[in-house]
Amino acid sequence: MPERHADVLVVGGGAIGLAAAREVARRGRSVCVLERFALGHERGGSAGWERQWRIQYSQERWARLALETLPLWRQLEAEAERPLVHARGSLWFGQVGVATSEGELALAAAVLDALEVPYDWLTALEIERRFGFAALPRDHEGFHQADGGVIDVRATLEALAALGVRSGVRVVEHLAVHALEPDGAGVTVRTARGDFRAESVIVACGAFTDALLAPLGCGLGLRVFRMASAHFARR
Ligand SMILES: Cc1cc2nc3c(=O)[nH]c(=O)nc-3n(C[C@H](O)[C@H](O)[C@H](O)COP(=O)(O)OP(=O)(O)OC[C@H]3O[C@@H](n4cnc5c(N)ncnc54)[C@H](O)[C@@H]3O)c2cc1C
């Protein structure tokens, strides 16, 4: 049976929970991650192989945040002794002015301008010539941003978990948290295999965060949606 007390308990062992736990441990606090499945499982937001890493966002604060993460990624890569973000460039194109769940082309370009991040604005013909597309609709335009790239998700999760454990993070897998009960001195964490106790709790349950926060009256009002992605080999 795992030890049932830590300065900080992290609920959720996805990318965010593992990164938070590692940071807490580096600051000298005892920390334990409770994950309802096994680390690296395929039923959460951090599932799969790749994620795009990009600076362009329609919201300037997100773009600033992405820029701030760059030295942190480099530091993580140095400690993990392997590359985690592969900068292959990021090509965004489509109908300008159309808002999608990923943002809006002209707005994202305006944010890059404001932050003085370089990019190439391209017409449909230029995109075809440079990137091997054919017969693009002529109203398509977009941009190429050279610093964008691809996050190696599996390698990142492995690195965060391994470096965390090396810093003293404890991980308990296959244990779901059912409820959080804060009081003046800390938090009681209810699980199917008994209670845990911590001074503080970090809730990093991804899409399921509100299941723990809403009963406390501080739900985030998250809306879960399904997104279809398609990947094409370049010829
Ligand atoms: C299809 C898809 C494409 C995406 N594309 C991109 C992209 O290109 N670029 C980008 O930057 N981001 C992208 N994202 C977003 C990014 O992947 C996620 O924001 C990130 O991985 C979420 O990590 P997380 O740790 O917050 O959540 P998760 O990885 O979901 O981790 C939450 C963990 O909490 C556990 N958990 C939940 N409830 C409990 C409980 N009660 N008790 C114990 N454990 C619990 C879950 O099992 C899970 O392991 C994408 C997401 C998806 C789904």
Side-chain angles (χ1 to χ4, degrees), residues 11-12 14-16 34-37 41 45-46 51-52 176-177 204-206:
V11 189
I16 302 301
L34 304 179
E35 166 54 51
R36 67 178 171 177
F37 301 125
H41 70 88
S46 306
R51 292 288 185 279
Q52 58 170 318
V177 170
C205 298

Side-chain angles (χ1 to χ4, degrees), residues 38-81:
L39 291 191
H41 70 88
E42 287 289 307
R43 286 181 276 185
S46 306
W49 292 92
E50 292 184 340
R51 292 288 185 279
Q52 58 170 318
W53 189 89
R54 56 172 154 130
I55 302 171
Q56 67 268 15
Y57 285 93
S58 299
Q59 299 86 347
E60 187 173 319
R61 67 182 187 283
W62 290 10
R64 285 186 186 279
L65 200 58
L67 286 169
E68 278 176 34
T69 69
L70 255 184
L72 302 176
W73 276 109
R74 296 288 97 87
Q75 190 187 333
L76 184 61
E77 287 175 326
E79 289 176 35
E81 297 177 351

Side-chain angles (χ1 to χ4, degrees), residues 19 32 50 82 92 98 101 109 167 184 191 195 200 209 231:
C32 178
E50 292 184 340
R82 63 196 292 191
W92 266 27
V98 174
S101 60
S167 304
T191 80
D195 295 347
S200 325
T209 292
H231 299 260

